[in-house]
Amino acid sequence: MSPDPAEAQDAARPSLSPARVLDIDSLLDDRKTRIVVCCGSGGVGKTTTAAALGLRAAERGRKVVVLTIDPARRLAQSMGIDSLDNVPRRVKGTEDRAGTSRSGSVEGDGGREPGGELHAMMLDMKRTFDEVVEAHADPERAAAILANPFYQSLSAGFAGTQEYMAMEKLGQLRAKDEWDLIVVDTPPSRSALDFLDAPKRLGSFLDGRLIRLLTAPAKLGGRAGMAFLNVGMSMMTGTLGKLLGGQLLKDVQTFVAAMDTTFGGFRTRADATYKLLQAPGTAFLVVAAPERDALREAAYFVERLAAEDMPLVGLVLNRVHGSGAGRLSAERALAAAENLEEPRIVDQGGGKAGLRNSPDTYGSSEPPASATPAPDDGSPAGTDDGSPAADPERSVDQLTAGLLRLHADRMQLLSREQRTRDRFTARHPEVAVVEVPALPGDVHDLTGLRDIGDRLAAGHTELP
């Protein structure tokens, strides 16, 4: 017994293979979940995903702050905020004046509940560093540190400072216990996971030989310290002075001496935040697109998070393509397009063919009378410029063939996405996945973010 053709087409249609579906609403509704970290390579929609998750959680009754360390300003634009800075800003449009969700009393509102709030902020690396200094040093010493030229350079762009300050800011937000949920939007590319290394790098820096040598005179103090500096370090400082410049070396020594009492606090807080990321209340979401490079990066993130014992909850697969005509394969669409584009024998008056090699005219020295009909009742045989009139049926065929080829391209794209996705799921079958369809335009307001949130919660691909 031959299989049903419709069932065979369904089985072969190019669509993403099933995988364990990530339940976004259960994650957001779980009050034990206090931190959600979105990580992934650049250009895959992390910022939009983080904002959509924050908005959905707020409209489901949670008090949320979204922290972005992505330099792009899309988050502020989509939330209707003129600019984001190092201070959480309240996002308008999620609540009315009474504090009740705008949709809280509307049936079918996707589970929105009263009492939620949404705040957003962007990491200001230097300002966060300044806040740490001001909080852990007396006013006189803090003023000296903030005015130090070496500190100003370090806080503005020293390698690894952004990742460490992201850890500091996350720790500050969590310590305040002001928000039910913190959503973190990480930097693009593999640097998105550099903050996991921040405590180790900071410890290596603070325990390094150069730092120990520079802090030794200050720790010894008085004449003994000066003697140590003059005798034991004369050669080293002379060499460093030539390499770095005497003023820079002096600035570094002054900075290290002023910061010495706060170094231990830096390491302690970084270690505490690192443990916070490993705690059960934290959830990591890897964000990717159904493309080879993006999913290769996603696989790296999954493996790295597992190695660091970080709680990964799943993969958000953005910009997944779909088709409303999945039963029509790319091969059949191309064959139909080629058939429509082939030359045709067009019957004209009296059923005689208008082609030269027709059996009715072959061998005749005169063209058939019907081959070139005379104008009738003033109807022109051609256009005003003398060219033959366009065949409406032929134009429809060409348009149909073009649409069939576009459909074939879409189905081939779906097939590539399926293969790429299948390679990832075969390698990491334990990772739950939620798909978000490719949309025709960018998200630039709260309505668009709500739409993304609804699609995230749906758990499967729908047509854009």
Side-chain angles (χ1 to χ4, degrees):
M1 181 177 174
S2 60
D4 184 6
E7 292 180 359
Q9 290 174 11
D10 266 342
R13 59 185 289 186
S15 60
L16 292 179
S17 61
R20 193 161 64 90
V21 177
L22 174 61
D23 189 342
I24 289 293
D25 282 346
S26 294
L27 173 67
L28 299 179
D29 292 342
D30 186 357
R31 296 285 171 166
K32 295 180 182 178
T33 302
R34 303 298 300 274
I35 299 173
V36 173
V37 182
C38 297
C39 56
S41 58
V44 296
K46 287 192 314 298
T47 301
T48 301
T49 299
L53 290 171
L55 177 60
R56 188 169 184 85
E59 293 187 333
R60 296 177 72 85
R62 303 198 68 176
K63 190 174 181 180
V64 186
V65 60
V66 178
L67 167 64
T68 177
I69 36 187
D70 185 343
R73 300 285 172 171
R74 294 186 303 274
L75 181 63
Q77 296 169 356
S78 64
M79 292 185 171
I81 302 175
D82 293 336
S83 63
L84 291 178
D85 53 24
N86 216 41
V87 178
R89 303 290 180 183
R90 181 74 169 270
V91 178
K92 299 178 181 179
T94 58
E95 293 180 334
D96 60 22
R97 294 180 182 178
T100 302
S101 170
R102 287 173 177 261
S103 305
S105 60
V106 180
E107 294 183 2
D109 60 358
R112 295 174 191 158
E113 297 180 2
E117 295 180 10
L118 179 61
H119 301 250
M121 62 182 297
M122 178 176 288
L123 177 71
D124 184 329
M125 180 176 62
K126 187 179 186 312
R127 183 58 204 148
T128 301
F129 210 150
D130 292 348
E131 291 172 354
V132 172
V133 171
E134 293 167 350
H136 297 91
D138 59 76
E140 184 178 352
R141 179 167 292 188
I145 294 172
L146 296 179
N148 184 277
F150 179 75
Y151 167 78
Q152 293 174 359
S153 298
L154 175 72
S155 60
F158 192 74
T161 305
Q162 184 186 51
E163 289 76 21
Y164 177 76
M165 288 305 138
M167 298 275 283
E168 279 281 352
K169 181 56 67 176
L170 176 59
Q172 291 174 10
L173 292 173
R174 185 66 182 86
K176 289 181 179 179
D177 206 25
E178 184 177 349
W179 291 275
D180 295 337
L181 180 65
I182 303 169
V183 181
V184 182
D185 169 37
T186 60
S189 190
R190 292 193 176 186
S191 62
L193 290 180
D194 282 352
F195 63 87
L196 298 179
D197 294 325
K200 299 176 184 177
R201 289 202 309 270
L202 181 67
S204 299
F205 172 71
L206 299 181
D207 295 332
R209 182 176 301 176
L210 176 61
I211 294 297
R212 292 200 304 270
L213 288 172
L214 291 175
T215 56
K219 290 180 178 179
L220 290 174
R223 294 180 180 179
M226 291 304 297
F228 179 85
L229 178 62
N230 291 333
V231 177
M233 299 183 65
S234 58
M235 293 183 62
M236 187 196 75
T237 55
T239 303
L240 288 175
K242 293 178 181 179
L243 294 174
L244 305 177
Q247 184 59 47
L248 176 57
L249 179 59
K250 182 179 179 180
D251 292 338
V252 172
Q253 290 173 331
T254 304
F255 165 74
V256 170
M259 287 290 289
D260 183 50
T261 57
T262 63
F263 279 158
F266 272 85
R267 186 188 295 105
T268 300
R269 290 190 304 278
D271 290 340
T273 305
Y274 185 83
K275 292 178 181 178
L276 180 64
L277 293 175
Q278 294 177 316
T282 301
F284 280 83
L285 278 175
V286 177
V287 184
E291 301 166 0
R292 183 180 59 181
D293 291 342
L295 280 174
R296 183 185 295 120
E297 290 292 292
Y300 164 79
F301 292 141
V302 168
E303 293 162 5
R304 176 69 194 282
L305 291 169
E308 299 284 345
D309 293 325
M310 298 293 171
L312 172 67
V313 295
L315 170 74
V316 174
L317 198 61
N318 278 328
R319 301 169 188 165
V320 177
H321 292 86
S323 174
R327 291 175 180 268
L328 179 58
S329 67
E331 292 76 13
R332 292 180 58 195
L334 288 174
E338 292 172 358
N339 185 48
L340 287 171
E341 290 170 343
E342 289 179 355
R344 300 177 55 190
I345 297 177
V346 181
D347 288 341
Q348 299 186 5
K352 294 186 178 181
L355 295 183
R356 182 175 299 174
N357 292 335
S358 161
D360 292 332
T361 60
Y362 187 78
S364 173
S365 61
E366 296 182 1
S370 60
T372 308
D376 184 23
D377 296 332
S379 299
T383 59
D384 293 338
D385 60 0
S387 60
D391 183 354
E393 186 177 353
R394 184 62 178 161
S395 298
V396 170
D397 288 348
Q398 292 174 340
L399 176 60
T400 304
L403 293 174
L404 286 168
R405 290 189 178 278
L406 285 176
H407 174 76
D409 290 342
R410 169 59 69 93
M411 299 306 290
Q412 289 170 347
L413 174 62
L414 264 64
S415 181
R416 288 196 299 272
E417 290 182 355
Q418 177 186 358
R419 291 193 299 270
T420 305
R421 155 69 182 280
D422 286 349
R423 281 195 293 268
F424 176 87
T425 53
R427 185 175 178 180
H428 298 286
E430 77 284 359
V431 178
V433 181
V434 60
E435 301 168 4
V436 180
L439 300 179
D442 293 333
V443 176
H444 54 79
D445 55 21
L446 291 180
T447 300
L449 289 177
R450 287 191 184 98
D451 184 32
I452 294 292
D454 291 341
R455 293 171 186 271
L456 280 165
H460 58 82
T461 305
E462 297 176 356
L463 291 177

